[in-house]
Amino acid sequence: MNFDHLKDFLDTMAACRTPGNAVTVYLQGKKVFSYAAGYADLESRTPFTGEEYVNIYSCSKITTVTAAAQLLEKGVFLLDEPLYEYLPEYRHMAVKQPDGSLTEAKNPILIGDLFSMTAGLHYDIGCPSIQRAGELTGGRYDTAEVARQLAKEPLSFEPGTHWQYSLCHDVLAGLVSVLTGMPFREYVKQNIFEPLGMTKSVYHHTPEIEERMASQYSFVPDGADGGFDLVEAQKQGRSGKGRFVNVGKDVSHIFGPEYDSGGAGITTTMDDYVKLMAALAGKGTGLTGERILSPKTVELMQVNRLSEQQLKDFNWTSLRGYGYGLGVRTHLNQARSGLLAGLGEFGWNGAAGASAIIDAELGLGVFYVQHCLNPREEWYQPRLRNVVYGCL
């Protein structure tokens, strides 16, 4: 193994694509490479070390589906069970038609639909249901209550017929909270973070943690005003020349002090969160020797769940040749992707550029971080995977 090319790639990224970045690579339970480049704060020229706290946004989803998968393997629910069996608010759902009219859904939302983003939910965090949840909880935004209120939102399509990136994993976090009788953050802490020795991963950062966070930036292309939708930017960022704007350290998808966002809630460090990647690469057993999932559950996680029709919806530029499993991309076709990544490589990314690469066959667990929104995934994501695999 020689990681010179990975080092060079991070240097190139830091020179023109992001203020700073870092990566850690585990192979068969051993750390084989770690490197950081660029700046954690451009204004003060503070070097990026990889030890900084960062908001990982949608990389949080990997934790959420891991937590829910634990309940699946314990027999708490089945993937083909209707969600309304556990959250009755979802028994009668409306589907919004192209002309704006509403019709009653013919199919129930299945729990498996939450994992695979095929429920028909949207990603509008300003919708009336979330606002109503805030009113009902006095601004606390309890995770389970937000999930219940989202049932009042009309679906974008008949459940199970299409794929749409959405608040599915936020509802999944609410489901875990309801089924366990615990705040989602506490369930995750006891059943994932503590067993894996992840002492720096949290759902709500404190002032002390904020002091140790890398500055959070946004890439703003020349001629743009800086306003953009985080989800749309993650699908297809705007490239070209531009500037980095410091946008503070908050996350817009965390609504209140009791909202443990399953889709975007975790603040962590590179060397802490990579422990989850290493555990999944170890087929469910972490660096501590503790098992958080069975090998068969990890195997199921990376099985593509999308039909041919749904794969047409799964059309992000950086994900050609991939399908979608239990909340993670999964590599299906090297001819289509053109990547060196092995078939079955899985993981996910975040709006500020965090990225997980997991290959359980090789025992490869990689976590890359930057702290720059509008990360232009279509450019760096495929290249990052190629460079990692080319170094092995």
Side-chain angles (χ1 to χ4, degrees):
M1 293 179 293
N2 185 323
F3 289 96
D4 286 349
H5 291 323
L6 185 53
K7 174 182 178 296
D8 292 343
F9 182 72
L10 264 66
D11 286 338
T12 298
M13 286 285 292
C16 60
R17 293 276 173 176
T18 187
N21 60 7
V23 70
T24 293
V25 181
Y26 273 85
L27 191 63
Q28 297 178 1
K30 295 181 180 179
K31 184 189 289 189
V32 293
F33 183 73
S34 188
Y35 182 71
Y39 298 103
D41 185 84
L42 280 173
E43 290 77 14
S44 65
R45 312 300 277 183
T46 303
F48 203 104
T49 67
E51 297 178 0
E52 300 86 356
Y53 281 88
V54 294
N55 298 317
I56 63 169
Y57 291 88
S58 287
C59 262
S60 305
K61 291 176 169 69
I62 301 175
T63 293
T64 300
V65 296
T66 298
Q70 290 178 332
L71 303 186
L72 172 68
E73 70 178 26
K74 292 175 182 177
V76 177
F77 59 75
L78 296 173
L79 293 178
D80 60 0
E81 284 187 303
L83 176 59
Y84 66 68
E85 294 287 351
Y86 305 98
L87 291 175
E89 293 82 0
Y90 285 86
R91 181 176 290 275
H92 299 290
M93 298 300 295
V95 179
K96 189 174 184 178
Q97 301 300 320
D99 63 1
S101 63
L102 300 180
T103 59
E104 185 171 353
K106 299 175 183 177
N107 303 327
I109 295 175
L110 305 180
I111 294 177
D113 290 326
L114 295 181
F115 278 93
S116 58
M117 297 281 187
T118 54
L121 300 178
H122 57 62
Y123 226 136
D124 179 7
I125 63 172
C127 68
S129 296
I130 291 178
Q131 295 176 16
R132 177 62 174 159
E135 294 168 2
L136 291 173
T137 60
R140 298 190 311 276
Y141 290 92
D142 171 78
T143 308
E145 187 58 41
V146 172
R148 292 188 181 100
Q149 290 301 315
L150 281 170
K152 295 181 172 64
E153 291 293 311
L155 301 176
S156 298
F157 49 79
E158 191 70 33
T161 59
H162 291 278
W163 184 89
Q164 179 168 278
Y165 204 46
S166 68
L167 289 163
C168 275
H169 293 170
D170 288 70
V171 175
L172 193 60
L175 178 64
V176 170
S177 182
V178 168
L179 292 175
T180 62
M182 301 170 66
F184 184 64
R185 77 184 89 169
E186 190 59 35
Y187 177 85
V188 168
K189 181 180 178 182
Q190 292 184 23
N191 293 276
I192 298 176
F193 291 166
E194 288 181 349
L196 296 182
M198 297 170 64
T199 59
K200 297 179 180 178
S201 297
V202 300
Y203 277 89
H204 298 272
H205 58 252
T206 63
E208 292 75 19
I209 287 175
E210 188 165 324
E211 284 284 323
R212 298 170 61 188
M213 290 178 72
S215 294
Q216 184 173 235
Y217 295 89
S218 174
F219 173 74
V220 180
D222 288 346
D225 61 6
F228 62 91
D229 181 89
L230 292 185
V231 176
E232 290 302 316
Q234 192 178 349
K235 294 178 185 177
Q236 180 76 43
R238 295 175 63 183
S239 298
K241 295 182 179 179
R243 64 193 188 280
F244 299 115
V245 177
N246 193 317
V247 293
K249 298 177 179 180
D250 290 336
V251 176
S252 59
H253 289 57
I254 299 175
F255 312 130
E258 292 183 13
Y259 190 65
D260 309 329
S261 171
I266 295 176
T267 299
T268 186
T269 68
M270 176 183 68
D271 278 336
D272 204 56
Y273 205 64
V274 75
K275 295 172 185 176
L276 177 57
M277 300 1 349
L280 294 174
K283 300 182 179 180
T285 298
L287 302 173
T288 59
E290 293 289 328
R291 195 179 86 170
I292 59 166
L293 289 176
S294 76
K296 285 296 181 183
T297 307
V298 176
E299 185 179 311
L300 179 63
M301 184 180 288
Q302 60 189 303
V303 172
N304 173 53
R305 294 180 57 81
L306 302 186
S307 67
E308 287 298 320
Q309 174 58 50
Q310 292 163 342
L311 282 171
K312 294 177 182 178
D313 306 320
F314 191 66
N315 57 4
W316 297 13
T317 304
S318 63
L319 294 173
R320 289 192 188 98
Y322 280 78
Y324 197 73
L326 293 182
V328 291
R329 69 170 185 268
T330 182
H331 196 193
L332 301 180
N333 188 325
Q334 281 184 302
R336 177 156 171 72
S337 71
L339 297 183
L340 304 179
L343 296 181
E345 179 268 324
F346 67 102
W348 200 245
N349 318 308
S355 182
I357 299 171
I358 305 158
D359 188 324
E361 182 177 346
L362 293 180
L364 173 70
V366 180
F367 192 51
Y368 166 91
V369 297
Q370 59 183 54
H371 213 205
C372 185
L373 298 163
N374 191 15
R376 296 170 285 171
E377 287 191 0
E378 75 284 355
W379 193 92
Y380 85 90
Q381 278 291 326
R383 287 172 168 81
L384 176 63
R385 280 170 247 159
N386 269 353
V387 174
V388 166
Y389 275 85
C391 290
L392 301 179

Short mmCIF file of all heavy atoms in Angstrom, two decimals, residues 54-107:
data_model
loop_
_atom_site.label_atom_id
_atom_site.label_comp_id
_atom_site.label_asym_id
_atom_site.label_seq_id
_atom_site.Cartn_x
_atom_site.Cartn_y
_atom_site.Cartn_z
N VAL A 54 -16.66 18.75 13.42
CA VAL A 54 -17.34 19.22 12.21
C VAL A 54 -18.78 18.73 12.23
O VAL A 54 -19.10 17.71 12.86
CB VAL A 54 -16.65 18.73 10.92
CG1 VAL A 54 -15.26 19.33 10.77
CG2 VAL A 54 -16.58 17.20 10.89
N ASN A 55 -19.66 19.44 11.54
CA ASN A 55 -21.03 18.98 11.32
C ASN A 55 -21.01 18.03 10.12
O ASN A 55 -20.55 18.42 9.04
CB ASN A 55 -21.96 20.15 11.02
CG ASN A 55 -22.04 21.14 12.17
OD1 ASN A 55 -22.13 20.75 13.33
ND2 ASN A 55 -22.00 22.43 11.84
N ILE A 56 -21.50 16.82 10.29
CA ILE A 56 -21.41 15.85 9.18
C ILE A 56 -22.73 15.70 8.43
O ILE A 56 -22.81 14.91 7.49
CB ILE A 56 -20.91 14.48 9.66
CG1 ILE A 56 -21.87 13.83 10.67
CG2 ILE A 56 -19.50 14.61 10.25
CD1 ILE A 56 -21.55 12.38 10.96
N TYR A 57 -23.76 16.44 8.81
CA TYR A 57 -25.01 16.46 8.07
C TYR A 57 -25.47 15.03 7.72
O TYR A 57 -25.66 14.21 8.60
CB TYR A 57 -24.87 17.34 6.83
CG TYR A 57 -24.73 18.81 7.17
CD1 TYR A 57 -23.48 19.37 7.41
CD2 TYR A 57 -25.84 19.63 7.25
CE1 TYR A 57 -23.34 20.72 7.73
CE2 TYR A 57 -25.72 20.99 7.56
CZ TYR A 57 -24.47 21.52 7.81
OH TYR A 57 -24.33 22.85 8.14
N SER A 58 -25.64 14.72 6.43
CA SER A 58 -26.28 13.46 6.04
C SER A 58 -25.44 12.23 6.30
O SER A 58 -25.95 11.11 6.20
CB SER A 58 -26.69 13.51 4.57
OG SER A 58 -27.80 14.35 4.39
N CYS A 59 -24.17 12.40 6.64
CA CYS A 59 -23.41 11.22 7.09
C CYS A 59 -23.99 10.68 8.40
O CYS A 59 -23.73 9.54 8.78
CB CYS A 59 -21.94 11.56 7.27
SG CYS A 59 -20.92 11.09 5.85
N SER A 60 -24.79 11.51 9.08
CA SER A 60 -25.51 11.06 10.28
C SER A 60 -26.47 9.93 9.94
O SER A 60 -26.81 9.11 10.81
CB SER A 60 -26.31 12.22 10.88
OG SER A 60 -25.50 13.33 11.15
N LYS A 61 -26.93 9.87 8.71
CA LYS A 61 -27.90 8.85 8.30
C LYS A 61 -27.34 7.44 8.49
O LYS A 61 -28.10 6.49 8.73
CB LYS A 61 -28.32 9.07 6.85
CG LYS A 61 -29.17 10.32 6.63
CD LYS A 61 -29.46 10.53 5.14
CE LYS A 61 -30.53 11.59 4.90
NZ LYS A 61 -30.10 12.95 5.24
N ILE A 62 -26.03 7.28 8.36
CA ILE A 62 -25.44 5.95 8.54
C ILE A 62 -25.65 5.46 9.97
O ILE A 62 -25.94 4.28 10.21
CB ILE A 62 -23.94 5.97 8.18
CG1 ILE A 62 -23.77 6.42 6.72
CG2 ILE A 62 -23.31 4.60 8.39
CD1 ILE A 62 -22.31 6.58 6.30
N THR A 63 -25.53 6.37 10.93
CA THR A 63 -25.81 6.01 12.32
C THR A 63 -27.29 5.66 12.50
O THR A 63 -27.63 4.69 13.19
CB THR A 63 -25.43 7.17 13.25
OG1 THR A 63 -24.01 7.34 13.24
CG2 THR A 63 -25.89 6.92 14.68
N THR A 64 -28.17 6.44 11.88
CA THR A 64 -29.60 6.23 12.04
C THR A 64 -30.02 4.86 11.52
O THR A 64 -30.76 4.13 12.19
CB THR A 64 -30.38 7.33 11.32
OG1 THR A 64 -30.01 8.59 11.88
CG2 THR A 64 -31.88 7.14 11.46
N VAL A 65 -29.57 4.51 10.33
CA VAL A 65 -29.98 3.21 9.78
C VAL A 65 -29.31 2.07 10.54
O VAL A 65 -29.88 0.97 10.64
CB VAL A 65 -29.70 3.12 8.27
CG1 VAL A 65 -30.55 4.14 7.51
CG2 VAL A 65 -28.24 3.29 7.92
N THR A 66 -28.13 2.31 11.10
CA THR A 66 -27.50 1.29 11.95
C THR A 66 -28.32 1.05 13.20
O THR A 66 -28.57 -0.09 13.60
CB THR A 66 -26.07 1.71 12.32
OG1 THR A 66 -25.28 1.82 11.13
CG2 THR A 66 -25.42 0.69 13.25
N ALA A 67 -28.78 2.14 13.82
CA ALA A 67 -29.61 2.03 15.02
C ALA A 67 -30.90 1.28 14.72
O ALA A 67 -31.30 0.37 15.47
CB ALA A 67 -29.92 3.41 15.57
N ALA A 68 -31.57 1.63 13.63
CA ALA A 68 -32.82 0.97 13.27
C ALA A 68 -32.57 -0.48 12.88
O ALA A 68 -33.39 -1.37 13.19
CB ALA A 68 -33.50 1.71 12.13
N ALA A 69 -31.45 -0.76 12.22
CA ALA A 69 -31.12 -2.14 11.84
C ALA A 69 -30.90 -3.03 13.06
O ALA A 69 -31.16 -4.24 13.02
CB ALA A 69 -29.90 -2.16 10.93
N GLN A 70 -30.43 -2.44 14.15
CA GLN A 70 -30.30 -3.22 15.39
C GLN A 70 -31.66 -3.73 15.85
O GLN A 70 -31.78 -4.87 16.32
CB GLN A 70 -29.66 -2.36 16.48
CG GLN A 70 -28.20 -2.05 16.26
CD GLN A 70 -27.61 -1.15 17.35
OE1 GLN A 70 -28.32 -0.36 17.97
NE2 GLN A 70 -26.32 -1.28 17.58
N LEU A 71 -32.68 -2.90 15.72
CA LEU A 71 -34.03 -3.32 16.12
C LEU A 71 -34.59 -4.35 15.15
O LEU A 71 -35.32 -5.26 15.55
CB LEU A 71 -34.95 -2.10 16.19
CG LEU A 71 -34.52 -0.97 17.13
CD1 LEU A 71 -35.61 0.09 17.20
CD2 LEU A 71 -34.19 -1.50 18.52
N LEU A 72 -34.23 -4.22 13.87
CA LEU A 72 -34.65 -5.21 12.88
C LEU A 72 -34.12 -6.59 13.24
O LEU A 72 -34.86 -7.58 13.22
CB LEU A 72 -34.15 -4.80 11.50
CG LEU A 72 -34.35 -5.81 10.36
CD1 LEU A 72 -35.83 -5.98 10.05
CD2 LEU A 72 -33.57 -5.38 9.12
N GLU A 73 -32.84 -6.68 13.59
CA GLU A 73 -32.26 -7.99 13.87
C GLU A 73 -32.67 -8.52 15.24
O GLU A 73 -32.47 -9.71 15.52
CB GLU A 73 -30.73 -7.95 13.73
CG GLU A 73 -29.99 -7.18 14.78
CD GLU A 73 -28.47 -7.25 14.59
OE1 GLU A 73 -28.02 -7.46 13.44
OE2 GLU A 73 -27.75 -7.11 15.59
N LYS A 74 -33.28 -7.68 16.06
CA LYS A 74 -33.82 -8.15 17.34
C LYS A 74 -35.28 -8.56 17.23
O LYS A 74 -35.91 -8.95 18.24
CB LYS A 74 -33.68 -7.05 18.40
CG LYS A 74 -32.22 -6.76 18.79
CD LYS A 74 -32.14 -5.57 19.75
CE LYS A 74 -30.69 -5.26 20.09
NZ LYS A 74 -30.56 -4.06 20.96
N GLY A 75 -35.85 -8.43 16.03
CA GLY A 75 -37.23 -8.84 15.83
C GLY A 75 -38.26 -7.83 16.27
O GLY A 75 -39.44 -8.16 16.41
N VAL A 76 -37.85 -6.59 16.48
CA VAL A 76 -38.79 -5.56 16.93
C VAL A 76 -39.78 -5.21 15.82
O VAL A 76 -40.96 -4.94 16.08
CB VAL A 76 -38.03 -4.30 17.41
CG1 VAL A 76 -38.99 -3.19 17.80
CG2 VAL A 76 -37.12 -4.67 18.59
N PHE A 77 -39.32 -5.22 14.58
CA PHE A 77 -40.20 -4.96 13.43
C PHE A 77 -39.66 -5.71 12.22
O PHE A 77 -38.54 -6.25 12.24
CB PHE A 77 -40.30 -3.46 13.12
CG PHE A 77 -38.97 -2.80 12.81
CD1 PHE A 77 -38.33 -2.99 11.59
CD2 PHE A 77 -38.35 -1.97 13.73
CE1 PHE A 77 -37.11 -2.41 11.30
CE2 PHE A 77 -37.13 -1.37 13.46
CZ PHE A 77 -36.52 -1.60 12.24
N LEU A 78 -40.45 -5.73 11.16
CA LEU A 78 -40.02 -6.27 9.87
C LEU A 78 -40.04 -5.13 8.85
O LEU A 78 -40.81 -4.19 8.97
CB LEU A 78 -40.95 -7.39 9.41
CG LEU A 78 -40.99 -8.65 10.28
CD1 LEU A 78 -42.09 -9.59 9.77
CD2 LEU A 78 -39.64 -9.34 10.28
N LEU A 79 -39.21 -5.25 7.83
CA LEU A 79 -39.14 -4.21 6.81
C LEU A 79 -40.43 -4.07 6.02
O LEU A 79 -40.75 -2.99 5.52
CB LEU A 79 -37.97 -4.48 5.86
CG LEU A 79 -36.57 -4.37 6.46
CD1 LEU A 79 -35.52 -4.71 5.41
CD2 LEU A 79 -36.31 -2.97 7.02
N ASP A 80 -41.18 -5.17 5.89
CA ASP A 80 -42.40 -5.10 5.08
C ASP A 80 -43.65 -4.86 5.92
O ASP A 80 -44.77 -5.01 5.44
CB ASP A 80 -42.57 -6.37 4.24
CG ASP A 80 -42.65 -7.65 5.07
OD1 ASP A 80 -42.58 -7.56 6.31
OD2 ASP A 80 -42.79 -8.73 4.47
N GLU A 81 -43.46 -4.44 7.17
CA GLU A 81 -44.61 -4.06 8.00
C GLU A 81 -44.99 -2.61 7.75
O GLU A 81 -44.12 -1.76 7.55
CB GLU A 81 -44.27 -4.25 9.48
CG GLU A 81 -44.29 -5.69 9.94
CD GLU A 81 -44.12 -5.79 11.45
OE1 GLU A 81 -43.11 -5.27 11.97
OE2 GLU A 81 -45.01 -6.38 12.09
N PRO A 82 -46.29 -2.29 7.80
CA PRO A 82 -46.71 -0.90 7.65
C PRO A 82 -46.21 -0.04 8.81
O PRO A 82 -46.24 -0.46 9.97
CB PRO A 82 -48.25 -0.99 7.66
CG PRO A 82 -48.56 -2.40 7.29
CD PRO A 82 -47.44 -3.21 7.87
N LEU A 83 -45.77 1.15 8.48
CA LEU A 83 -45.31 2.08 9.51
C LEU A 83 -46.42 2.40 10.50
O LEU A 83 -46.15 2.61 11.69
CB LEU A 83 -44.81 3.36 8.82
CG LEU A 83 -44.36 4.52 9.71
CD1 LEU A 83 -43.21 4.11 10.62
CD2 LEU A 83 -43.96 5.73 8.85
N TYR A 84 -47.68 2.40 10.05
CA TYR A 84 -48.78 2.77 10.93
C TYR A 84 -49.00 1.79 12.07
O TYR A 84 -49.66 2.12 13.06
CB TYR A 84 -50.08 2.99 10.16
CG TYR A 84 -50.69 1.77 9.49
CD1 TYR A 84 -51.23 0.71 10.22
CD2 TYR A 84 -50.78 1.70 8.10
CE1 TYR A 84 -51.81 -0.39 9.61
CE2 TYR A 84 -51.35 0.61 7.47
CZ TYR A 84 -51.87 -0.44 8.23
OH TYR A 84 -52.43 -1.53 7.60
N GLU A 85 -48.42 0.60 11.98
CA GLU A 85 -48.52 -0.34 13.09
C GLU A 85 -47.83 0.21 14.34
O GLU A 85 -48.17 -0.17 15.46
CB GLU A 85 -47.90 -1.69 12.71
CG GLU A 85 -48.63 -2.44 11.61
CD GLU A 85 -49.95 -3.04 12.09
OE1 GLU A 85 -50.21 -3.01 13.31
OE2 GLU A 85 -50.72 -3.52 11.24
N TYR A 86 -46.87 1.09 14.15
CA TYR A 86 -46.09 1.64 15.26
C TYR A 86 -46.29 3.15 15.42
O TYR A 86 -46.14 3.67 16.52
CB TYR A 86 -44.61 1.31 15.05
CG TYR A 86 -44.38 -0.17 14.88
CD1 TYR A 86 -44.25 -0.74 13.61
CD2 TYR A 86 -44.35 -1.02 15.99
CE1 TYR A 86 -44.08 -2.10 13.46
CE2 TYR A 86 -44.17 -2.39 15.84
CZ TYR A 86 -44.04 -2.92 14.57
OH TYR A 86 -43.88 -4.28 14.41
N LEU A 87 -46.58 3.82 14.31
CA LEU A 87 -46.94 5.24 14.34
C LEU A 87 -48.30 5.36 13.67
O LEU A 87 -48.39 5.52 12.44
CB LEU A 87 -45.89 6.08 13.60
CG LEU A 87 -44.51 6.21 14.25
CD1 LEU A 87 -43.56 6.98 13.35
CD2 LEU A 87 -44.59 6.89 15.62
N PRO A 88 -49.38 5.25 14.43
CA PRO A 88 -50.74 5.22 13.86
C PRO A 88 -51.08 6.44 13.00
O PRO A 88 -51.98 6.36 12.15
CB PRO A 88 -51.64 5.15 15.10
CG PRO A 88 -50.78 4.60 16.19
CD PRO A 88 -49.40 5.10 15.90
N GLU A 89 -50.37 7.53 13.21
CA GLU A 89 -50.63 8.75 12.44
C GLU A 89 -50.44 8.52 10.94
O GLU A 89 -50.96 9.28 10.11
CB GLU A 89 -49.71 9.88 12.90
CG GLU A 89 -49.97 10.36 14.32
CD GLU A 89 -49.32 9.49 15.40
OE1 GLU A 89 -48.66 8.48 15.05
OE2 GLU A 89 -49.47 9.83 16.59
N TYR A 90 -49.70 7.49 10.56
CA TYR A 90 -49.41 7.22 9.16
C TYR A 90 -50.39 6.22 8.53
O TYR A 90 -50.14 5.74 7.42
CB TYR A 90 -47.98 6.70 9.02
CG TYR A 90 -46.93 7.78 9.19
CD1 TYR A 90 -46.48 8.14 10.46
CD2 TYR A 90 -46.43 8.47 8.09
CE1 TYR A 90 -45.54 9.15 10.63
CE2 TYR A 90 -45.48 9.47 8.24
CZ TYR A 90 -45.05 9.81 9.51
OH TYR A 90 -44.13 10.82 9.67
N ARG A 91 -51.51 5.94 9.18
CA ARG A 91 -52.46 4.95 8.63
C ARG A 91 -53.13 5.47 7.36
O ARG A 91 -53.29 4.73 6.39
CB ARG A 91 -53.51 4.58 9.68
CG ARG A 91 -54.51 3.53 9.18
CD ARG A 91 -55.46 3.12 10.28
NE ARG A 91 -54.80 2.33 11.32
CZ ARG A 91 -54.61 1.01 11.25
NH1 ARG A 91 -55.04 0.33 10.20
NH2 ARG A 91 -54.01 0.38 12.23
N HIS A 92 -53.57 6.71 7.35
CA HIS A 92 -54.26 7.26 6.18
C HIS A 92 -53.44 8.43 5.64
O HIS A 92 -53.43 9.51 6.21
CB HIS A 92 -55.67 7.71 6.56
CG HIS A 92 -56.54 6.61 7.08
ND1 HIS A 92 -57.01 5.59 6.28
CD2 HIS A 92 -57.00 6.36 8.34
CE1 HIS A 92 -57.74 4.76 7.01
NE2 HIS A 92 -57.75 5.20 8.27
N MET A 93 -52.78 8.18 4.51
CA MET A 93 -51.91 9.19 3.93
C MET A 93 -52.50 9.74 2.64
O MET A 93 -53.19 9.03 1.89
CB MET A 93 -50.52 8.59 3.64
CG MET A 93 -49.79 8.11 4.89
SD MET A 93 -49.49 9.43 6.10
CE MET A 93 -48.37 10.48 5.17
N ALA A 94 -52.22 11.01 2.38
CA ALA A 94 -52.66 11.65 1.14
C ALA A 94 -51.48 11.76 0.18
O ALA A 94 -50.34 11.97 0.60
CB ALA A 94 -53.22 13.03 1.43
N VAL A 95 -51.77 11.61 -1.10
CA VAL A 95 -50.75 11.76 -2.15
C VAL A 95 -51.09 12.99 -2.98
O VAL A 95 -52.22 13.14 -3.44
CB VAL A 95 -50.70 10.52 -3.06
CG1 VAL A 95 -49.66 10.71 -4.16
CG2 VAL A 95 -50.37 9.27 -2.25
N LYS A 96 -50.11 13.86 -3.16
CA LYS A 96 -50.32 15.05 -3.96
C LYS A 96 -50.14 14.72 -5.43
O LYS A 96 -49.09 14.23 -5.86
CB LYS A 96 -49.33 16.15 -3.54
CG LYS A 96 -49.61 17.50 -4.17
CD LYS A 96 -48.68 18.55 -3.59
CE LYS A 96 -49.02 19.94 -4.14
NZ LYS A 96 -48.14 20.97 -3.53
N GLN A 97 -51.17 14.99 -6.21
CA GLN A 97 -51.14 14.70 -7.64
C GLN A 97 -50.50 15.87 -8.41
O GLN A 97 -50.36 16.97 -7.89
CB GLN A 97 -52.57 14.46 -8.14
CG GLN A 97 -53.27 13.30 -7.45
CD GLN A 97 -52.54 11.98 -7.64
OE1 GLN A 97 -52.02 11.69 -8.72
NE2 GLN A 97 -52.50 11.18 -6.56
N PRO A 98 -50.11 15.62 -9.67
CA PRO A 98 -49.46 16.68 -10.47
C PRO A 98 -50.28 17.96 -10.57
O PRO A 98 -49.72 19.06 -10.68
CB PRO A 98 -49.28 16.02 -11.83
CG PRO A 98 -49.16 14.56 -11.53
CD PRO A 98 -50.08 14.33 -10.37
N ASP A 99 -51.61 17.83 -10.53
CA ASP A 99 -52.46 19.03 -10.63
C ASP A 99 -52.69 19.72 -9.29
O ASP A 99 -53.44 20.70 -9.20
CB ASP A 99 -53.80 18.69 -11.28
CG ASP A 99 -54.63 17.71 -10.44
OD1 ASP A 99 -54.18 17.31 -9.34
OD2 ASP A 99 -55.73 17.34 -10.90
N GLY A 100 -52.04 19.19 -8.24
CA GLY A 100 -52.17 19.78 -6.91
C GLY A 100 -53.25 19.18 -6.05
O GLY A 100 -53.32 19.47 -4.85
N SER A 101 -54.11 18.35 -6.63
CA SER A 101 -55.17 17.71 -5.86
C SER A 101 -54.60 16.60 -4.99
O SER A 101 -53.49 16.09 -5.23
CB SER A 101 -56.24 17.13 -6.79
OG SER A 101 -55.69 16.11 -7.61
N LEU A 102 -55.35 16.22 -3.95
CA LEU A 102 -54.92 15.17 -3.03
C LEU A 102 -55.82 13.95 -3.18
O LEU A 102 -57.05 14.08 -3.28
CB LEU A 102 -54.97 15.67 -1.59
CG LEU A 102 -54.09 16.88 -1.24
CD1 LEU A 102 -54.25 17.24 0.23
CD2 LEU A 102 -52.63 16.60 -1.57
N THR A 103 -55.21 12.78 -3.20
CA THR A 103 -55.95 11.52 -3.21
C THR A 103 -55.41 10.64 -2.09
O THR A 103 -54.27 10.80 -1.66
CB THR A 103 -55.80 10.79 -4.55
OG1 THR A 103 -54.40 10.52 -4.78
CG2 THR A 103 -56.36 11.63 -5.70
N GLU A 104 -56.22 9.72 -1.61
CA GLU A 104 -55.77 8.83 -0.55
C GLU A 104 -54.80 7.80 -1.11
O GLU A 104 -55.02 7.24 -2.18
CB GLU A 104 -56.95 8.12 0.10
CG GLU A 104 -56.53 7.28 1.31
CD GLU A 104 -57.71 6.75 2.11
OE1 GLU A 104 -58.85 7.13 1.81
OE2 GLU A 104 -57.47 5.96 3.03
N ALA A 105 -53.71 7.58 -0.38
CA ALA A 105 -52.71 6.61 -0.82
C ALA A 105 -53.31 5.21 -0.85
O ALA A 105 -54.06 4.82 0.04
CB ALA A 105 -51.51 6.65 0.11
N LYS A 106 -52.97 4.47 -1.90
CA LYS A 106 -53.44 3.09 -2.02
C LYS A 106 -52.56 2.14 -1.22
O LYS A 106 -53.05 1.12 -0.71
CB LYS A 106 -53.45 2.67 -3.49
CG LYS A 106 -54.36 3.51 -4.38
CD LYS A 106 -54.21 3.12 -5.83
CE LYS A 106 -55.07 4.00 -6.74
NZ LYS A 106 -54.88 3.67 -8.18
N ASN A 107 -51.28 2.45 -1.14
CA ASN A 107 -50.32 1.60 -0.44
C ASN A 107 -49.93 2.22 0.89
O ASN A 107 -49.77 3.45 0.98
CB ASN A 107 -49.04 1.42 -1.27
CG ASN A 107 -49.30 0.86 -2.64
OD1 ASN A 107 -50.22 0.07 -2.84
ND2 ASN A 107 -48.48 1.27 -3.60
#
